[in-house]
Amino acid sequence: GNSVTQMEGPVTLSEEAFLTINCTYTATGYPSLFWYVQYPGEGLQLLLKATKADDKGSNKGFEATYRKETTSFHLEKGSVQVSDSAVYFCALGVSSTLGRLYFGRGTQLTVWP
Amino acid sequence: EAQVTQNPRYLITVTGKKLTVTCSQNMNHEYMSWYRQDPGLGLRQIYYSMNVEVTDKGDVPEGYKVSRKEKRNFPLILESPSPNQTSLYFCASSSGHQNTGELFFGEGSRLTVL
């Protein structure tokens, strides 16, 4: 089946620290991979995506590389800011279920000044 | 502006009192879906729709109904709400293209069932 496992939080960091949130997946076929971010009191919004192996998605200083050999899509940022405090969701989509994404459980990130 | 609009944003109700959460999108998307978000469980899909008059169950459909009479609207119906349906609900839409797959989410509806 299709599923996503991401590291459990909460993750607490000081400003300018390095961030890694691990995400691994199981999928039938060749999935597209996504990271979504949910700021307090808001809906989810797409942060970045990658649609094939070895693609790197990037946005707002965040990066993730689609690693087929390790079935992973880890989210990284070199220097986090207080404004990055949010919940981060890893997700996958497959062609057999168009319009649907499979989400991980989310990782709460808190950044202190 | 492209958006998914849900109403109400907040609702407190009592067990057994039927309610409907509306969802509307202005992007002409074929796919629409409902998720619930609960602490420690992440997002779980309730129902989804591939087009007008085509709907299917997600992972947690019990206690919910949906309809898709028009492309832009996808209401979520709780015929007889119970306290275990207290949750944060999100509607989402998508064009369904394989290489994008991006979901557009509403701002959420926080429901409390007493």
Side-chain angles (χ1 to χ4, degrees), chain A residues 53-93:
Chain A
D54 299 324
D55 269 2
K56 178 185 284 187
S58 61
N59 186 24
K60 299 182 180 180
F62 291 88
E63 294 183 340
T65 301
Y66 187 163
R67 302 284 189 200
K68 185 179 176 183
E69 63 276 10
T70 54
T71 61
S72 65
F73 193 55
H74 304 322
L75 182 68
E76 296 182 336
K77 187 174 185 182
S79 177
V80 293
Q81 305 299 313
V82 172
S83 57
D84 294 326
S85 297
V87 181
Y88 293 81
F89 290 91
C90 186
L92 71 84

Side-chain angles (χ1 to χ4, degrees), chain B residues 12-20 63 77-86 111-114:
Chain B
I12 300 174
T13 190
V14 295
T15 299
K17 185 175 182 181
K18 179 179 179 180
L19 68 91
T20 299
I77 303 156
L78 286 73
E79 293 271 3
S80 183
S82 62
N84 64 13
Q85 292 178 298
T86 292
L111 171 65
T112 302
V113 183
L114 301 175

